[in-house]
Amino acid sequence: MKISITTPTGQIGRQLADRLLSEGADVTVLARHPDKVRELSSRGARVVAGDQSDSNAVNSVVEGADAFFWLTPVDLAARDIRAHYNRLSDVAAQVIGRHPSVRVVHLSSVGADLEQGTGPIKGLHDSEVKLNAATENITHVRANYFMENVLSSLPTISGQGAIYSTIPGSASLAQVATRDIAAAAAHHLVNGDPGRHIVDVFGPDEITFNEVADTLAQVLGRPVMHVQVPRDQMRAGMQTAGLSADAAEQLLELNDAIAQGMLKGVAETGWKGKMTFAEFARQVVARAYNSQSGMAKAG
């Protein structure tokens, strides 16, 4: 089976390519920097050098494929996040429309059913609309909040024992590991049915942000607290970290949506991941934390 993948160097794309190659699929990847996917190439993946904004490059990986995975990478430096999603979705829709027999799996998000109030997910809402207009054979994989998002807080966990957010610690989500999202995408690329489908992807348990901090404290052997901070403080911190003004506003809006319980699955079909947050903390966060601590000591 011939399967083409975008974003093979990202968290989900790389795990997806690895899984499909292990299962014996004929895999083609679109990579901006082919040198970063040499390991995939060495295992038999065909690599096309190109960018998702280039319709010719996208067409070259879709042509001849049985199934195609599309993921729009977020650009937190973009001046207009929603326009960024729409610009790349226009390219995908244009290309996919030329290949009506190709089954498309699109990585989306819970909350993509809503037109407003969800921050960057509004761009995925637009993407779903555009891609639905381009093909009758598409599955939108709507992932829940990534467990990996906590990794962005490693500097403050290490330095201050704190995870800062505008989300109240009592807010809960069925957070999901990207490993499980890749598993869901692989299943639907290989075994998906023709037609339009929506699949919500959740972690195995609802977990509050306070419980995330408590779990990390147990695993890391140090105090970790979830600290709710004012919007202005969070906005300033994000912009200091290099996010555009619009990206900061969109992420604040997303946090509001989480706090208000807006990001709930509405699809008839669901996919429950296997990795619990405790397992994720032991296998992923602890390794990253220890690596960062080691580098800090060496410095």
Side-chain angles (χ1 to χ4, degrees):
M1 186 174 192
K2 296 182 178 180
I3 301 175
S4 295
I5 298 172
T6 57
T7 64
T9 60
Q11 290 179 347
I12 294 172
R14 181 173 289 279
Q15 293 180 87
L16 176 59
D18 175 71
R19 180 179 291 267
L20 290 171
L21 286 168
S22 297
E23 294 175 357
D26 183 347
V27 174
T28 297
V29 299
L30 177 67
R32 292 180 63 189
H33 304 288
D35 58 303
K36 294 184 178 181
V37 292
R38 286 177 182 165
E39 190 268 338
L40 298 177
S41 176
S42 71
R43 295 171 58 196
R46 171 177 168 247
V47 179
V48 173
D51 174 297
Q52 286 174 269
S53 64
D54 181 346
S55 61
N56 291 328
V58 176
N59 187 73
S60 69
V61 298
V62 175
E63 194 166 26
D66 298 302
F68 174 56
F69 177 72
W70 178 265
L71 184 160
T72 304
V74 66
D75 180 0
L76 294 178
R79 295 179 63 183
D80 186 330
I81 295 289
R82 193 167 190 174
H84 162 75
Y85 277 102
N86 275 269
R87 184 165 54 252
L88 292 185
S89 297
D90 284 337
V91 173
Q94 176 191 353
V95 172
I96 290 166
R98 302 177 199 161
H99 305 279
S101 65
V102 173
R103 288 188 300 101
V104 179
V105 172
H106 168 230
L107 183 71
S108 188
S109 170
V110 291
D113 55 301
L114 303 173
E115 293 185 26
Q116 297 294 336
T118 57
I121 297 174
K122 297 191 297 284
L124 290 171
H125 169 84
D126 297 344
S127 297
E128 288 195 9
V129 172
K130 290 175 184 289
L131 296 178
N132 282 342
T135 181
E136 296 182 356
N137 296 309
I138 186 165
T139 297
H140 300 288
V141 173
R142 289 181 176 172
N144 208 296
Y145 189 90
F146 293 5
M147 290 182 184
E148 278 80 356
N149 289 341
V150 76
L151 296 174
S152 66
S153 294
L154 278 178
T156 58
I157 291 172
S158 179
Q160 302 163 41
I163 301 170
Y164 297 105
S165 175
T166 58
I167 303 170
S170 59
S172 66
L173 289 170
Q175 296 191 23
V176 61
T178 57
R179 182 187 75 176
D180 287 326
I181 300 169
H187 172 81
H188 288 283
L189 285 164
V190 174
N191 304 302
D193 297 321
R196 294 194 184 107
H197 308 279
I198 296 173
V199 179
D200 290 326
V201 182
F202 302 100
D205 306 298
E206 287 265 343
I207 183 169
T208 69
F209 287 88
N210 282 335
E211 289 170 336
V212 164
D214 291 343
T215 301
L216 292 178
Q218 293 172 18
V219 170
L220 301 179
R222 61 155 300 157
V224 180
M225 294 183 64
H226 177 92
V227 181
Q228 187 175 5
V229 297
R231 291 172 64 88
D232 287 348
Q233 181 179 336
M234 197 70 192
R235 180 187 295 109
M238 288 191 287
Q239 291 189 251
T240 298
L243 277 66
S244 71
D246 184 63
E249 291 304 320
Q250 297 307 316
L251 290 177
L252 287 171
E253 183 177 89
L254 174 60
N255 287 353
D256 291 343
I258 292 170
Q260 295 162 20
M262 294 171 62
L263 303 189
K264 302 296 182 182
V266 297
E268 294 181 5
T269 304
W271 177 284
K272 181 169 280 193
K274 297 178 180 179
M275 178 172 270
T276 65
F277 187 80
E279 291 171 320
F280 177 81
R282 289 192 295 269
Q283 295 181 27
V284 179
V285 181
R287 185 183 302 119
Y289 175 84
N290 291 333
S291 175
Q292 178 173 290
S293 299
M295 288 189 290
K297 291 177 181 177

